[in-house]
């Protein structure tokens, strides 16, 4: 019975060995993906900020309405 256990563990170790290499490669990919995601996030924030700035630049300045008619002095006296 002990020999079967040892053979089972040897077989498990043989199955796990190639997966360690694969796990390392996946970990490297995840690290690169995290870096790329952070760069993309920064770019999206910059684009959003620039879009707001462009929107403010495109906005027309407020026009002051001219009053139509005559101006009456506050004291009510008109020298005209």
């Amino acid at each position: 019975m002990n020999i079967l256990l040892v053979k089972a563990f040897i077989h498990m170790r043989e199955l796990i060995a190639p997966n360690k290499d694969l796990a390392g490669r996946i970990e490297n990919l995840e690290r690169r993906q995290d870096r790329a995601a952070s760069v993309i996030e920064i770019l999206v924030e910059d684009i959003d900020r620039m879009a707001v700035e462009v929107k403010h630049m495109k906005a027309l300045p407020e026009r002051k309405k001219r009053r139509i008619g005559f101006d009456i002095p506050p004291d009510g006296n008109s020298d005209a």
Side-chain angles (χ1 to χ4, degrees), residues 51-77:
V52 170
E53 290 176 9
V54 167
K55 184 177 180 181
H56 288 303
M57 288 179 187
K58 284 185 173 181
L60 296 174
E62 270 189 49
R63 290 179 27 183
K64 293 185 179 183
K65 294 184 178 180
R66 281 185 10 187
R67 290 187 62 198
I68 299 175
F70 298 100
D71 284 333
I72 300 174
D75 61 3
N77 294 333

Side-chain angles (χ1 to χ4, degrees), residues 16-60:
I16 292 173
N19 292 335
K20 285 183 182 180
D21 179 48
L22 185 59
R25 291 172 62 189
I26 290 173
E27 188 175 324
N28 287 338
L29 285 172
E30 287 176 347
R31 266 191 255 123
R32 279 190 254 148
Q33 186 272 335
D34 287 341
R35 281 186 288 208
S38 64
V39 168
I40 290 171
E41 187 176 319
I42 291 169
L43 288 173
V44 167
E45 289 172 0
D46 287 346
I47 290 170
D48 288 342
R49 182 181 46 79
M50 290 169 62
V52 170
E53 290 176 9
V54 167
K55 184 177 180 181
H56 288 303
M57 288 179 187
K58 284 185 173 181
L60 296 174

Side-chain angles (χ1 to χ4, degrees), residues 5-20:
L5 283 175
V6 171
K7 285 183 179 181
F9 280 109
I10 290 173
H11 185 66
M12 284 176 48
R13 185 175 42 188
E14 288 172 353
L15 291 174
I16 292 173
N19 292 335
K20 285 183 182 180

Side-chain angles (χ1 to χ4, degrees), residues 1-8:
M1 188 57 98
N2 288 335
I3 295 175
L4 290 177
L5 283 175
V6 171
K7 285 183 179 181

